[in-house]
């Protein structure tokens, strides 16, 4: 399945049906009076987060969505049928934005499966002439038209939800590690920028599971959009823990670490404050004892190298995953405690236009 993390859509809710001007016409009832029914309500446009999706590719081929219009009211006080709703099914982690005079405005952030938000409400149906009957107007010949639907242009932006995110320069071995510890099968090759879009994998360790995200390699200037890096960084905003992989075969491992950490700090979004585990990767390509020496040199320069691993041979991977599992549990517990503190704002309810 192709990956797409941004899409534009045009939506329109249904218009309400017009009310009916009608009168009773029955034998032996000379002055039957008005009996026109109301028009049906127009359909709504909703967005819903569903499981099993991790791309917005469906919205590349279809961008226009229109709910059904309400039916006309009818005689004998019959209300017209309401228009059919339209539901945009999106992956968990999708943000919905709309442009206004001040730029883009976030109107919904769907972070839980089953979460729904109303994007455009359908128009109310018009009143039939029965509603206008009064003591001074016994036979009104007036009915309201239905309210028009609402049309909006929206942008969908996907930020994947994962427990752990892999970061590093291109060709640091992120995809190899993801493939080694999960059933994910990202493209792997010995040249930079092999990974062109984020990948997710479910990692199992000691009877538990967590979701790991592999984003394409970062380069200097990524936070400004170079190499589309700002979009890639957005996919790890929701991760509880980051795993920073350093290529042990690089000519300048210290410079590599500083580059990636600088991009995380410059991007913002809380990435610089996220817990992280630093691992020296590709140690299988080093001579015996060289990995420990390199790790010691990096620690002396302030790089908190915690593990020396190899995604190819599996060396140190299990220990890394156990430490990662423990760090994820601590981070999620801290998040839950912060939300439970008195004075914490509750999550807003569904947004309605």
């Amino acid at each position: 399945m192709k990956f797409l993390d941004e899409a534009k859509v045009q939506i329109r809710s249904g218009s309400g049906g017009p009310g009916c001007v009608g009168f009773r016409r029955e034998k032996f009832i000379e002055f039957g009076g008005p009996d026109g029914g109301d028009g049906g309500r127009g359909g709504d446009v909703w967005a819903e987060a569903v499981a099993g999706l991790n791309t917005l590719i469906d919205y590349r081929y279809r961008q226009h969505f229109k709910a059904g219009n309400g039916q006309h009211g009818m005689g004998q006080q019959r209300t017209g049928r309401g228009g059919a709703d339209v539901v945009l099914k999106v992956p968990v982690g999708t943000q919905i934005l709309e442009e206004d005079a001040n730029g883009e405005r976030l109107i919904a952030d769907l972070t839980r499966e089953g979460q729904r938000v109303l994007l455009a409400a359908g128009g109310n149906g018009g009143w039939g002439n029965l509603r206008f009957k009064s003591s001074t107007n016994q036979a009104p010949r007036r009915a309201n038209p239905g309210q028009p639907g609402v049309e909006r242009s929206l942008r969908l932006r996907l930020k994947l939800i994962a427990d752990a995110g892999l970061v590093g320069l291109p060709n640091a071995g992120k995809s190899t590690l993801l493939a080694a510890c999960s059933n994910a099968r990202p493209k792997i090759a010995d040249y930079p920028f092999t990974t062109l879009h984020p990948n997710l994998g479910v990692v199992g360790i000691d009877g538990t599971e967590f979701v790991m995200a592999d984003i394409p390699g970062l380069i200097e200037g990524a936070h400004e959009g170079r190499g589309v890096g700002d979009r890639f960084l957005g996919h790890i905003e929701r991760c509880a823990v980051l795993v920073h992989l350093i290529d042990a075969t690089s000519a300048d491992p210290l410079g590599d670490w500083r580059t990636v950490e600088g991009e995380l700090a410059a991007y913002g979004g809380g990435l610089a404050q996220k817990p992280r585990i630093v691992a020296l990767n590709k140690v299988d390509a080093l001579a015996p004892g060289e990995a420990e020496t390199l790790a010691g040199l990096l620690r002396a320069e302030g790089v908190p190298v915690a593990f020396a691993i190899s995604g190819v041979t599996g060396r140190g991977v299990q220990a890394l995953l156990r430490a990662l599992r423990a760090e994820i549990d601590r981070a999620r517990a801290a998040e839950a405690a912060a939300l439970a503190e008195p004075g914490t704002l509750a999550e807003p309810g569904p947004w309605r236009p």
Side-chain angles (χ1 to χ4, degrees):
M1 180 184 292
K2 293 183 178 180
F3 182 83
L4 185 70
D5 58 3
E6 286 195 5
K8 288 188 175 181
V9 294
Q10 190 84 14
I11 64 171
R12 191 181 194 284
S13 60
S15 298
C20 171
V21 176
F23 295 89
R24 292 180 64 184
R25 290 292 182 264
E26 301 176 31
K27 191 175 183 180
F28 307 123
I29 300 179
E30 184 176 1
F31 302 105
D35 72 345
D38 300 338
R41 191 176 184 278
D44 301 329
V45 181
W46 295 80
E48 180 181 0
V50 299
L53 290 178
N54 60 4
T55 175
L56 296 170
I57 191 65
D58 292 342
Y59 299 99
R60 170 174 288 177
Y61 307 109
R62 182 185 175 193
Q63 294 89 31
H64 297 271
F65 299 87
K66 183 178 179 181
N69 293 327
Q71 299 290 321
H72 288 250
M74 294 168 283
Q76 301 179 2
Q77 304 178 29
R78 291 177 293 174
T79 300
R81 180 189 299 172
D85 292 346
V86 168
V87 180
L88 278 61
K89 296 186 181 297
V90 297
V92 177
T94 299
Q95 294 181 328
I96 303 174
L97 304 100
E98 182 178 33
E99 290 187 0
D100 57 18
N102 299 319
E104 282 191 329
R105 178 171 61 101
L106 178 66
I107 62 175
D109 192 358
L110 305 179
T111 58
R112 299 189 311 275
E113 181 183 346
Q115 190 175 357
R116 286 167 62 99
V117 62
L118 180 63
L119 301 178
N124 291 325
W127 281 359
N129 67 332
L130 177 63
R131 299 263 194 173
F132 297 98
K133 180 180 177 181
S134 68
S135 60
T136 59
N137 187 1
Q138 295 290 320
R141 296 182 177 275
R142 171 189 173 190
N144 284 348
Q147 290 182 337
V150 177
E151 188 166 356
R152 314 181 77 183
S153 295
L154 304 175
R155 186 163 70 92
L156 309 180
R157 180 173 65 194
L158 174 61
K159 291 185 178 181
L160 295 174
I161 295 181
D163 298 302
L166 298 174
V167 297
L169 288 184
N171 215 32
K174 300 182 296 297
S175 297
T176 301
L177 177 59
L178 182 66
C181 59
S182 73
N183 288 328
R185 291 295 174 262
K187 183 179 179 181
I188 299 173
D190 60 349
Y191 54 83
F193 298 107
T194 306
T195 301
L196 299 177
H197 58 77
N199 294 293
L200 291 178
V202 178
V203 179
I205 184 71
D206 298 333
T208 65
E209 293 182 340
F210 62 88
V211 179
M212 181 181 288
D214 161 33
I215 70 166
L218 304 176
I219 59 175
E220 189 171 356
H223 69 282
E224 298 174 338
R226 188 178 178 193
V228 205
D230 55 338
R231 284 173 58 178
F232 297 150
L233 286 167
H235 287 293
I236 57 173
E237 281 187 37
R238 306 184 196 271
C239 293
V241 182
L242 301 181
V243 180
H244 186 160
L245 294 184
I246 302 175
D247 184 356
T249 64
S250 169
D252 185 12
L254 178 60
D256 295 350
W257 178 78
R258 287 174 173 167
T259 296
V260 173
E261 290 294 327
E263 293 305 316
L264 295 177
Y267 176 80
L271 294 186
Q273 290 73 43
K274 282 189 180 295
R276 57 185 29 69
I277 296 176
V278 180
L280 196 61
N281 195 20
K282 300 186 182 181
V283 296
D284 57 293
L286 303 181
E290 191 175 349
E292 289 73 15
T293 302
L294 178 58
L297 292 173
L298 290 173
R299 292 189 192 103
E301 293 291 338
V303 183
V305 176
F307 296 92
I309 68 169
S310 168
V312 174
T313 66
R315 172 182 168 182
V317 171
Q318 291 297 306
L320 170 63
L321 296 182
R322 288 192 178 95
L324 189 53
R325 171 77 269 180
E327 194 63 50
I328 290 171
D329 291 341
R330 282 193 290 270
R332 295 301 188 200
E335 291 176 4
L339 291 174
E341 288 181 0
T344 301
L345 292 177
E347 182 178 350
W351 179 86
R352 299 181 71 93

